[in-house]
Amino acid sequence: MYLSLIVLCVILYCVFPNKTNKYAIKQYIYIVTCLLIVVSGLRHEAVGNDTYAYMQSFDKMYMLSWDDILGNFWQSYLYPGIDGNGKDPGQLVVMKALSLVLPDSRFFLFLVAIVLLVPLGIFIYRNSESLETSCFSYVFYITMFYPYLPNSAVRQSFALSVLLIGYLYLQKGKDKYFIIFLLLATFLHKSIFIAIVILPFYYLRNTRLLYKCTLVLFLIMLFSYSYVGKYLASQSEIYGMYGASDFYVSRSVPYMVILMMFGLYIIGWLGINKDINPHQRRLIYGGAALSLIWVVMIRLDPSLIRITAYFGPWMGVMVPQALLMWRKKDYKLFFTILLFIFVLRALITPDNYHFLWQEMKLHERY
């Protein structure tokens, strides 16, 4: 299914004749967004390791009163997992409120997809000067993040949707609003606070130097990712998975993902060298560079690609723009090659998507 979605994104891109028309870009984003929402909402309960657990939790929301949810709200936020405290209390508040208006967990899956994919569409539209940017952004997102957000991790999907709104305010120069939305997102998933590291790119002037310095941080992360994971895990037992390091004992590490991200970073490097005003695109370059740094965390567990997703949308919009600045004369050729690489990767990557009416076994933990 993910391969089919990527191919459809490419076909739609080819269908629209005017690649720079804003109305065409809006229509393209509208169609792809609706398509992704439907596919996400109609997925089998076993698609995404966390999907079935969230559906069960939503169907049991009637058993929780508002007093149960709000009684230890701040304790759960400040000291998650300690003395029986829950985690990310904002999630329960949102789910309880939604349970009052949604009939069942299937509708909940659709709404989770809407809550994330609509802000993502707005984000892509605001940063798309051509249809190439919109097309690649979706191809990139479907390949790297869509199987997890929104198709597995609900809390992080909600958190990312709030963060995307904060990013849009930050692009408008409203940094205080960004901080507010970032703090709100931490009630849905604490790990989202990592996104604050994009602020140096916002405040400092030398965007080109900052972008290139992140290569050093990437190399450091390659050798210290396990220590970073242990530090994140030490913040709470709830997030102990970040400290796990035995996932790949009997599995192969997805180095290809890291290599692909590095290749996209290099395109940005070549593009920023010819960008006469990189400061104007400082958040795009910054978010893309941070995507490269955090993608190394998948060496602990592939599901930690979710952390990279906090910055991933920036990479999606940066690559076509940087490619245009680097190879303006033969831009179309290089863009086509880039799309072909992603289609090829989807073709050789196992796809476990099933619709709800198809048979599929639940994860072994159930």
CSV table of all heavy atoms in Angstrom, one decimal, residues 344-365:
chain,number,residue,atom,x,y,z
A,344,LEU,N,11.9,2.9,-5.7
A,344,LEU,CA,12.7,1.7,-5.6
A,344,LEU,C,12.8,1.2,-4.2
A,344,LEU,O,12.6,0.0,-3.9
A,344,LEU,CB,14.0,1.9,-6.3
A,344,LEU,CG,15.0,0.7,-6.3
A,344,LEU,CD1,14.3,-0.4,-7.2
A,344,LEU,CD2,16.3,1.0,-6.8
A,345,ARG,N,13.0,2.1,-3.3
A,345,ARG,CA,13.1,1.7,-1.9
A,345,ARG,C,11.8,1.1,-1.4
A,345,ARG,O,11.8,0.1,-0.7
A,345,ARG,CB,13.5,2.9,-1.0
A,345,ARG,CG,13.7,2.5,0.5
A,345,ARG,CD,13.9,3.7,1.4
A,345,ARG,NE,14.2,3.2,2.7
A,345,ARG,CZ,13.2,2.9,3.6
A,345,ARG,NH1,11.9,2.9,3.2
A,345,ARG,NH2,13.5,2.4,4.8
A,346,ALA,N,10.7,1.8,-1.7
A,346,ALA,CA,9.4,1.3,-1.3
A,346,ALA,C,9.1,-0.1,-1.9
A,346,ALA,O,8.5,-0.9,-1.3
A,346,ALA,CB,8.3,2.3,-1.7
A,347,LEU,N,9.7,-0.3,-3.1
A,347,LEU,CA,9.4,-1.5,-3.8
A,347,LEU,C,10.1,-2.7,-3.1
A,347,LEU,O,9.6,-3.8,-3.1
A,347,LEU,CB,9.9,-1.4,-5.3
A,347,LEU,CG,9.7,-2.6,-6.2
A,347,LEU,CD1,8.2,-2.8,-6.4
A,347,LEU,CD2,10.4,-2.4,-7.6
A,348,ILE,N,11.3,-2.5,-2.6
A,348,ILE,CA,12.1,-3.5,-1.9
A,348,ILE,C,11.8,-3.6,-0.4
A,348,ILE,O,12.4,-4.5,0.2
A,348,ILE,CB,13.6,-3.4,-2.2
A,348,ILE,CG1,14.1,-2.1,-1.6
A,348,ILE,CG2,13.9,-3.4,-3.7
A,348,ILE,CD1,15.6,-1.9,-1.8
A,349,THR,N,11.0,-2.7,0.1
A,349,THR,CA,10.8,-2.7,1.6
A,349,THR,C,9.5,-3.5,1.8
A,349,THR,O,8.5,-3.2,1.2
A,349,THR,CB,10.6,-1.3,2.1
A,349,THR,OG1,11.8,-0.5,1.8
A,349,THR,CG2,10.4,-1.3,3.6
A,350,PRO,N,9.5,-4.4,2.8
A,350,PRO,CA,8.3,-5.2,3.2
A,350,PRO,C,7.2,-4.2,3.6
A,350,PRO,O,7.4,-3.2,4.3
A,350,PRO,CB,8.8,-6.0,4.3
A,350,PRO,CG,10.2,-6.2,4.1
A,350,PRO,CD,10.7,-4.9,3.6
A,351,ASP,N,6.0,-4.5,3.1
A,351,ASP,CA,4.8,-3.6,3.4
A,351,ASP,C,3.8,-4.5,4.2
A,351,ASP,O,3.2,-5.4,3.6
A,351,ASP,CB,4.2,-3.1,2.1
A,351,ASP,CG,3.1,-2.1,2.4
A,351,ASP,OD1,2.6,-2.0,3.5
A,351,ASP,OD2,2.8,-1.4,1.4
A,352,ASN,N,3.5,-4.2,5.4
A,352,ASN,CA,2.6,-5.0,6.2
A,352,ASN,C,1.2,-4.3,6.3
A,352,ASN,O,0.4,-4.7,7.2
A,352,ASN,CB,3.2,-5.2,7.6
A,352,ASN,CG,3.2,-3.9,8.5
A,352,ASN,OD1,3.2,-2.8,7.9
A,352,ASN,ND2,3.3,-4.1,9.8
A,353,TYR,N,0.9,-3.4,5.4
A,353,TYR,CA,-0.4,-2.7,5.5
A,353,TYR,C,-1.5,-3.7,5.1
A,353,TYR,O,-1.4,-4.4,4.1
A,353,TYR,CB,-0.4,-1.5,4.6
A,353,TYR,CG,-1.8,-0.8,4.7
A,353,TYR,CD1,-2.0,0.2,5.7
A,353,TYR,CD2,-2.8,-1.1,3.9
A,353,TYR,CE1,-3.2,0.9,5.8
A,353,TYR,CE2,-4.1,-0.5,4.0
A,353,TYR,CZ,-4.2,0.5,5.0
A,353,TYR,OH,-5.5,1.1,5.1
A,354,HIS,N,-2.6,-3.7,5.9
A,354,HIS,CA,-3.8,-4.4,5.5
A,354,HIS,C,-5.0,-3.5,5.8
A,354,HIS,O,-5.0,-2.8,6.8
A,354,HIS,CB,-4.0,-5.7,6.3
A,354,HIS,CG,-3.0,-6.8,5.9
A,354,HIS,ND1,-1.6,-6.7,6.2
A,354,HIS,CD2,-3.2,-8.0,5.3
A,354,HIS,CE1,-1.0,-7.8,5.7
A,354,HIS,NE2,-1.9,-8.6,5.2
A,355,PHE,N,-6.1,-3.6,5.0
A,355,PHE,CA,-7.3,-2.9,5.3
A,355,PHE,C,-8.0,-3.7,6.4
A,355,PHE,O,-7.7,-4.9,6.7
A,355,PHE,CB,-8.2,-2.9,4.0
A,355,PHE,CG,-7.7,-1.8,3.0
A,355,PHE,CD1,-7.1,-2.2,1.8
A,355,PHE,CD2,-7.9,-0.5,3.3
A,355,PHE,CE1,-6.7,-1.3,0.9
A,355,PHE,CE2,-7.5,0.5,2.4
A,355,PHE,CZ,-6.8,0.0,1.2
A,356,LEU,N,-9.0,-3.1,7.0
A,356,LEU,CA,-9.7,-3.6,8.2
A,356,LEU,C,-10.5,-4.9,7.8
A,356,LEU,O,-10.7,-5.7,8.7
A,356,LEU,CB,-10.6,-2.6,8.8
A,356,LEU,CG,-11.8,-2.0,8.0
A,356,LEU,CD1,-13.0,-2.9,8.1
A,356,LEU,CD2,-12.1,-0.6,8.4
A,357,TRP,N,-10.8,-5.1,6.5
A,357,TRP,CA,-11.6,-6.2,6.2
A,357,TRP,C,-10.7,-7.4,5.7
A,357,TRP,O,-11.2,-8.5,5.4
A,357,TRP,CB,-12.6,-5.9,5.0
A,357,TRP,CG,-11.9,-5.3,3.8
A,357,TRP,CD1,-11.2,-5.9,2.8
A,357,TRP,CD2,-11.8,-3.9,3.5
A,357,TRP,NE1,-10.7,-5.0,1.9
A,357,TRP,CE2,-11.1,-3.8,2.3
A,357,TRP,CE3,-12.3,-2.7,4.2
A,357,TRP,CZ2,-10.8,-2.5,1.7
A,357,TRP,CZ3,-12.0,-1.5,3.6
A,357,TRP,CH2,-11.3,-1.4,2.4
A,358,GLN,N,-9.4,-7.2,5.8
A,358,GLN,CA,-8.4,-8.3,5.4
A,358,GLN,C,-8.0,-9.0,6.7
A,358,GLN,O,-8.1,-8.4,7.8
A,358,GLN,CB,-7.2,-7.7,4.7
A,358,GLN,CG,-7.6,-7.1,3.3
A,358,GLN,CD,-6.4,-6.5,2.6
A,358,GLN,OE1,-5.7,-5.7,3.2
A,358,GLN,NE2,-6.2,-6.8,1.4
A,359,GLU,N,-7.5,-10.2,6.6
A,359,GLU,CA,-7.0,-10.9,7.7
A,359,GLU,C,-5.5,-10.6,8.0
A,359,GLU,O,-4.7,-10.4,7.1
A,359,GLU,CB,-7.1,-12.4,7.4
A,359,GLU,CG,-8.5,-13.0,7.4
A,359,GLU,CD,-8.5,-14.5,7.3
A,359,GLU,OE1,-7.5,-15.1,7.5
A,359,GLU,OE2,-9.6,-15.0,7.1
A,360,MET,N,-5.3,-10.4,9.3
A,360,MET,CA,-3.9,-10.0,9.7
A,360,MET,C,-3.8,-10.3,11.2
A,360,MET,O,-4.6,-10.0,12.0
A,360,MET,CB,-3.6,-8.5,9.4
A,360,MET,CG,-2.2,-8.1,9.8
A,360,MET,SD,-1.9,-6.3,9.4
A,360,MET,CE,-0.2,-6.2,9.8
A,361,LYS,N,-2.6,-10.9,11.5
A,361,LYS,CA,-2.4,-11.3,12.9
A,361,LYS,C,-2.0,-10.1,13.7
A,361,LYS,O,-1.2,-9.2,13.2
A,361,LYS,CB,-1.3,-12.4,13.0
A,361,LYS,CG,-1.8,-13.7,12.5
A,361,LYS,CD,-0.7,-14.8,12.8
A,361,LYS,CE,-1.1,-16.1,12.3
A,361,LYS,NZ,0.0,-17.2,12.5
A,362,LEU,N,-2.5,-10.0,15.0
A,362,LEU,CA,-2.0,-8.9,15.9
A,362,LEU,C,-0.6,-9.1,16.3
A,362,LEU,O,-0.1,-10.3,16.2
A,362,LEU,CB,-2.9,-8.8,17.1
A,362,LEU,CG,-4.4,-8.4,16.9
A,362,LEU,CD1,-5.2,-8.6,18.1
A,362,LEU,CD2,-4.4,-6.9,16.5
A,363,HIS,N,0.0,-8.1,16.8
A,363,HIS,CA,1.4,-8.2,17.3
A,363,HIS,C,1.5,-9.2,18.4
A,363,HIS,O,0.5,-9.4,19.1
A,363,HIS,CB,1.8,-6.8,17.8
A,363,HIS,CG,3.3,-6.7,18.1
A,363,HIS,ND1,3.8,-7.0,19.4
A,363,HIS,CD2,4.4,-6.4,17.4
A,363,HIS,CE1,5.1,-6.8,19.4
A,363,HIS,NE2,5.5,-6.5,18.2
A,364,GLU,N,2.6,-9.8,18.6
A,364,GLU,CA,2.7,-10.9,19.6
A,364,GLU,C,2.4,-10.5,21.0
A,364,GLU,O,2.1,-11.3,21.9
A,364,GLU,CB,4.2,-11.5,19.5
A,364,GLU,CG,5.2,-10.5,19.8
A,364,GLU,CD,6.6,-11.1,19.6
A,364,GLU,OE1,6.7,-12.2,19.0
A,364,GLU,OE2,7.6,-10.4,20.0
A,365,ARG,N,2.6,-9.2,21.3
A,365,ARG,CA,2.3,-8.7,22.7
A,365,ARG,C,0.8,-8.8,23.0
A,365,ARG,O,0.5,-8.7,24.2
A,365,ARG,CB,2.8,-7.3,22.8
A,365,ARG,CG,1.9,-6.2,22.2
A,365,ARG,CD,2.5,-4.8,22.4
A,365,ARG,NE,1.6,-3.8,22.1
A,365,ARG,CZ,1.9,-2.5,22.0
A,365,ARG,NH1,3.1,-2.1,22.2
A,365,ARG,NH2,1.0,-1.6,21.7
